[in-house]
Amino acid sequence: MFILRRAQPPLSPQVTSCRSKQFVKYLQKRIAAAHEGLELGIGDASIIKALAEACGAKESQIKTRYKELGDLGLVAKASRSSQSLMRKPEALTVAKVFDTFRLIAKESGKDSQEKKKNHIKALLVAATDCEPQYLIRLLQTKLRIGLAEQTLLVALGHAAVYSEKHSSAPGHIDSPLEEAAKIVKQVYSVIPVYDKMVPALLTGGVWNLSKTCSFTPGVPIGPMLAKPTKGVSEILDKFQDMVFTCEYKYDGERAQIHYMENGLVEIYSRNAERNTEKFPDVKIAVSRLKKPSVTSFVLDCELVAYDREKQKILPFQVLSTRARKNVKLNDIKVNVCIFAFDILYLNGKQLLQEQLNIRREHLYSSFEEQHGYFLFATAITSNDLEEIQKFLETSVDSSCEGLIVKTLDRDATYEPSKRSNNWLKLKKDYMESIGDSLDLVPIAAFHGRGKRAGVYGAFLLACYDSNNDEYQSICKIGTGFSEAMLEERSASLRSKVIPDPKSYYRYAETINPDVWFEPAEVWEVKAADLTISPVHRAAIGDVDPEKGISLRFPRLLRVREDKSPEQATSSEMVAEMYNAQKLNQRDKQVENEDD
Ligand code: ATP
């Protein structure tokens, strides 16, 4: 594989830092942090062209071998190793490959595809042994090394301890490795950018990391998430003896709005992607409605489609018709209202460690409300079952999905990227089923028969287990599809067919689908309940040593364009939903026996 550094003399700290960052990014399968929006932007067609040119072969030959081997990486390795080389090419270094990847990503405009192809070709010409195979897999973003992000962070923490030159672990720390991993994870949750964290580790060491690397406006953090619940009584059970607040759950798009000291505004999506150009109106509204004393802030909110004349919230489907890029103020047809529910940073001070009631006070005192433009999320503080039930009804009458219930005291800090026990969601439409929908990945399909001949008749869905980096089958689905939808999904997945299941798919041999797919799409699915299954493998080992969990009566709701397969519902979540359902059933049984 590519060498990490080429030769003597010893590298300067800057160079070491640069190479370490690049190496970590390889492991992370990304060339830049999500908010930088830098993607390789190449398809198989460009790679095939480059490979053909690098090997002196015809494109048709490469395509035929691709069909035979089912992996372009293997085709590259075989094609290059059969070439006799006049002289050994100069060794590829991590830095060289990484810099070329960034060049590829930055090419734009006229002839950009041709330029990208030429960069790939240059890399392939220099690649030897197994390098072509890994180069191609990196370019296709298909290199799987079974490494979850959390493992990478732990490794970084440990590496920092082993190479500690700056200071040794403070005396009171018993297990420095564990502590260092904890620090790295905590810092990454508030500044998820390796470009900042790795140099800070190398220059200041791990024990100073929280000081040298901290939450910064302009760098989005993962949003705090809520756990599903099935009813008001479950909430009262979970939050017994605690003060909590219920807020309307608005159905729009999560947004983290960063307002910098220099007046610059950036808007980030739930996945930390830069969404600023989609919402120029939001940019103006926050700048106008912040109080004059406010010089910088980071706001957590939901952007919701809004009819300003009728003063009415509009459904999510209306918001999704809004253009994504380069929206001009005069062309906006779908207005949005900002519903603010949290503030994470204010006037140069981060508020993540503050309790929610304190953050709320800051929020309420920092902005003016204006109907149709900027409102605070409607909220009540109560622990009365009937009152909360009524509040749930009014939220639904006001075109919301239900409630988000949040603890106000006891460690009610903001927990970035975490599905926390301190936030619960109650969705009206799911109270009768399993509390929430699931986001699942189609990994295989069965050919349709009769009316469905020519399209797929049913699909095998999987959840994602991030600890083992694998997709575990959870159910077969054939309902919830309109004819048009089935055509559309079949057409889209046909291009994702692979000859064999991936090594990281877990399923029972008895399932026997007709075709397998790359993990490519995420589908939102509703189900009647969860059950232990001898066939499916979701959360296997969590609730039963040999059996997994499956969904009964799954129905397709929609495709989640905003989620990548690795952001599908986790097997951990599936196990939690199953356990919650079991508890509910037991409670109901006890209630019935009491009657
Ligand atoms: P999740 O974000 O929990 O993975 P999801 O994207 O499918 O799941 P939902 O299950 O519908 O979204 O619920 C969570 C989302 O609800 C939040 O991410 C946020 O966008 C939205 N939301 C609406 N109102 C609020 C509120 N008052 N507080 C927090 N989040 C809210």
Side-chain angles (χ1 to χ4, degrees):
M1 237 329 234
F2 325 119
I3 50 181
L4 195 51
R5 56 181 172 150
R6 197 171 322 187
Q8 313 305 325
L11 300 167
S12 70
Q14 288 83 350
V15 175
T16 312
S17 149
C18 177
R19 299 214 174 142
S20 309
K21 277 186 310 197
Q22 293 163 348
F23 186 60
V24 167
K25 289 217 196 95
Y26 279 128
L27 298 177
Q28 192 209 10
K29 295 181 275 182
R30 248 187 254 149
I31 54 165
H35 71 280
E36 283 187 60
L38 210 55
E39 301 280 346
L40 281 168
I42 39 171
D44 280 0
S46 305
I47 301 178
I48 290 172
K49 254 193 200 136
L51 186 56
E53 287 180 24
C55 303
K58 288 201 181 108
E59 273 181 52
S60 57
Q61 288 170 313
I62 302 284
K63 282 184 189 156
T64 312
R65 296 217 71 186
Y66 187 14
K67 267 209 182 114
E68 283 161 15
L69 296 176
D71 177 347
L72 211 44
L74 290 178
V75 178
K77 187 179 168 202
S79 310
R80 288 287 293 148
S81 60
S82 62
Q83 266 181 302
S84 53
L85 301 175
M86 304 280 278
R87 65 183 170 87
K88 202 170 162 37
E90 197 183 331
L92 276 180
T93 58
V94 164
K96 166 84 183 149
V97 176
F98 190 79
D99 290 345
T100 314
F101 278 14
R102 285 191 70 103
L103 276 180
I104 293 173
K106 282 183 180 160
E107 292 292 2
S108 63
K110 202 170 155 268
D111 299 333
S112 62
Q113 283 308 315
E114 181 68 13
K115 288 181 191 155
K116 282 176 194 246
K117 183 208 72 189
N118 288 337
H119 290 307
I120 301 172
K121 188 171 129 190
L123 285 176
L124 283 168
V125 167
T128 55
D129 306 319
C130 62
E131 287 174 351
Q133 176 182 352
Y134 292 110
L135 256 183
I136 297 288
R137 286 190 185 159
L138 282 169
L139 286 164
Q140 289 183 302
T141 56
K142 281 184 186 164
L143 183 69
R144 298 192 77 90
I145 45 179
L147 184 69
E149 185 124 60
Q150 292 301 310
T151 317
L152 181 57
L153 295 172
V154 171
L156 261 181
H158 290 189
V161 173
Y162 289 128
S163 61
E164 197 64 58
K165 288 196 287 288
H166 315 276
S167 59
S168 46
H172 63 276
I173 293 178
D174 294 335
S175 45
L177 289 178
E178 230 170 80
E179 187 60 25
K182 211 164 109 191
I183 294 174
V184 171
K185 280 190 195 171
Q186 198 278 328
V187 169
Y188 187 76
S189 78
V190 294
I191 179 149
V193 183
Y194 289 111
D195 275 336
K196 297 217 167 16
M197 204 163 76
V198 175
L201 271 174
L202 287 166
T203 49
V206 68
W207 311 117
N208 291 320
L209 193 63
S210 319
K211 289 187 210 101
T212 53
C213 208
S214 56
F215 182 59
T216 319
V219 179
I221 57 171
M224 182 164 172
L225 301 170
K227 291 211 166 156
T229 48
K230 277 171 60 82
V232 176
S233 45
E234 187 182 338
I235 290 168
L236 292 175
D237 272 354
K238 286 199 163 142
F239 286 168
Q240 248 179 45
D241 304 325
M242 275 187 240
V243 186
F244 58 84
T245 179
C246 304
E247 291 176 355
Y248 280 6
K249 180 180 187 311
Y250 297 93
D251 194 9
E253 231 179 279
R254 182 96 176 239
Q256 208 175 89
I257 306 177
H258 291 226
Y259 184 97
M260 268 74 65
E261 293 283 340
N262 59 6
L264 201 77
V265 183
E266 296 286 7
I267 304 168
Y268 299 103
S269 75
R270 183 188 182 284
N271 298 333
E273 278 147 9
R274 193 169 166 274
N275 243 346
T276 317
E277 273 138 39
K278 185 176 172 187
F279 295 110
D281 45 343
V282 169
K283 229 167 116 169
I284 294 176
V286 287
S287 309
R288 184 167 55 83
L289 294 165
K290 73 170 186 58
K291 298 238 173 107
S293 58
V294 173
T295 54
S296 60
F297 63 80
V298 174
L299 204 59
D300 196 359
C301 55
E302 191 83 352
L303 303 179
V304 184
Y306 201 86
D307 183 335
R308 288 187 183 141
E309 236 168 64
K310 297 189 182 137
Q311 299 218 344
K312 218 177 126 227
I313 286 175
L314 298 171
F316 172 78
Q317 287 71 12
V318 176
L319 182 67
S320 60
T321 60
R322 196 167 158 138
R324 297 204 71 80
K325 288 242 149 70
N326 295 323
V327 175
K328 302 267 175 313
L329 269 180
N330 291 336
D331 298 340
I332 292 177
K333 296 203 175 55
V334 177
N335 286 316
V336 295
C337 179
I338 305 161
F339 286 93
F341 49 80
D342 219 321
I343 188 160
L344 317 182
Y345 185 93
L346 181 64
N347 292 346
K349 193 170 163 257
Q350 66 144 301
L351 303 174
L352 302 172
Q353 296 312 316
E354 302 290 350
Q355 308 295 308
L356 177 57
N357 44 11
I358 308 275
R359 300 202 302 277
R360 258 193 184 171
E361 275 169 29
H362 284 300
L363 174 67
Y364 294 160
S365 60
S366 301
F367 293 88
E368 299 286 354
E369 285 189 296
Q370 185 183 13
H371 259 285
Y373 293 87
F374 185 106
L375 293 170
F376 300 122
T378 305
I380 56 160
T381 301
S382 163
N383 53 8
D384 179 84
L385 193 138
E386 263 174 45
E387 203 177 344
I388 300 175
Q389 194 70 44
K390 224 188 231 149
F391 191 61
L392 171 67
E393 302 302 331
T394 43
S395 102
V396 174
D397 292 345
S398 320
S399 312
C400 291
E401 270 190 303
L403 303 179
I404 301 262
V405 187
K406 305 173 178 178
T407 56
L408 279 174
D409 52 6
R410 191 206 69 161
D411 303 329
T413 59
Y414 192 89
E415 300 169 75
S417 307
K418 197 160 164 212
R419 198 172 292 284
S420 166
N421 285 322
N422 288 337
W423 282 20
L424 302 177
K425 55 185 171 187
L426 181 57
K427 293 191 192 176
K428 183 80 166 87
D429 282 355
Y430 298 92
M431 283 169 61
E432 296 313 314
S433 62
I434 52 178
D436 202 0
S437 53
L438 290 97
D439 297 324
L440 303 168
V441 182
I443 56 167
F446 304 81
H447 290 312
R449 293 201 194 91
K451 245 175 71 183
R452 287 191 171 176
V455 287
Y456 298 124
F459 300 84
L460 180 65
L461 298 181
C463 63
Y464 179 63
D465 176 1
S466 63
N467 288 328
N468 296 307
D469 191 18
E470 64 182 24
Y471 292 88
Q472 304 170 330
S473 84
I474 188 166
C475 65
K476 256 170 89 171
I477 187 171
T479 36
F481 298 85
S482 63
E483 255 172 57
M485 181 74 152
L486 198 60
E487 289 268 352
E488 209 180 284
R489 287 343 315 145
S490 297
S492 151
L493 285 171
R494 238 173 249 131
S495 65
K496 307 287 181 229
V497 170
I498 45 176
D500 296 301
K502 297 283 185 188
S503 55
Y504 47 86
Y505 287 176
R506 277 193 100 176
Y507 57 94
E509 291 300 333
T510 48
I511 283 192
N512 236 343
D514 296 310
V515 287
W516 291 95
F517 305 124
E518 297 272 1
E521 302 192 349
V522 181
W523 295 359
E524 188 175 342
V525 169
K526 187 175 176 173
D529 58 21
L530 301 128
T531 169
I532 293 283
S533 155
V535 177
H536 292 288
R537 297 287 187 261
I540 189 163
D542 275 356
V543 288
D544 184 291
E546 272 138 40
K547 291 180 187 157
I549 296 170
S550 80
L551 300 183
R552 288 206 317 142
F553 307 119
R555 282 183 72 76
L556 176 75
L557 294 178
R558 65 184 174 119
V559 177
R560 293 281 311 236
E561 309 276 1
D562 59 330
K563 281 199 170 181
S564 67
E566 286 174 13
Q567 289 169 326
T569 299
S570 66
S571 44
E572 233 174 331
M573 193 69 233
V574 173
E576 269 187 46
M577 287 169 100
Y578 175 81
N579 287 331
Q581 173 187 289
K582 226 165 67 178
L583 270 181
N584 260 326
Q585 281 163 352
R586 213 178 50 202
D587 288 352
K588 276 205 187 116
Q589 207 176 341
V590 173
E591 267 170 36
N592 290 342
E593 279 163 10
D594 287 350
D595 284 348

